[in-house]
Amino acid sequence: MELSDLITKAEELESKFAAEIAPIRDEQELRKKQAEYLGKKGAMSALQAELPKLGNADKPKAGARFNKLKQFIEAAVAERLAANADEAARIDLQRSL
């Protein structure tokens, strides 16, 4: 696999993850989805397994893209959790009025 292929796959994972977590309202389901991507047997690990096949000059570029993907997933989960908490608080407030 070439660097461009790895970068394309990382971009696809990013888009796929964003689409998959958008409707999730349950924290456990959200964490489960995060583990599917960042866990030891997750999608990102499978992608990183291709790293040794790259030339030495491309490895830092691929590593940087993997770091960006990981940061994106972690930030997206944090955002989704915050949005879910805000929505729950809004619903509670409406009930109390």
Side-chain angles (χ1 to χ4, degrees):
M1 185 173 289
E2 293 187 20
L3 176 63
S4 60
D5 296 330
L6 280 177
I7 289 175
T8 299
K9 287 189 182 273
E11 290 168 352
E12 290 169 357
L13 282 179
E14 200 171 277
S15 297
K16 184 179 174 189
F17 182 79
E20 288 180 2
I21 68 162
I24 297 177
R25 300 287 180 256
D26 180 64
E27 181 177 355
Q28 286 182 325
E29 286 297 315
L30 193 56
R31 298 291 185 189
K32 181 180 173 187
K33 188 60 65 180
Q34 181 181 21
E36 287 177 20
Y37 282 79
L38 297 182
K40 280 187 175 184
K41 295 181 181 181
M44 190 166 155
S45 290
L47 197 57
Q48 287 175 313
E50 299 294 323
L51 197 57
K53 298 175 185 175
L54 292 178
N56 288 337
D58 290 336
K59 288 179 183 178
K61 294 173 190 167
R65 186 59 182 98
F66 292 151
N67 288 338
K68 183 178 174 188
L69 174 60
K70 181 180 177 188
Q71 291 167 355
F72 171 82
I73 290 171
E74 290 171 344
V77 167
E79 256 181 55
R80 187 77 240 149
L81 288 172
N84 290 351
D86 289 347
E87 185 177 336
R90 184 185 53 78
I91 289 170
D92 285 345
L93 181 62
Q94 287 178 344
R95 287 183 186 155
S96 66
L97 296 177

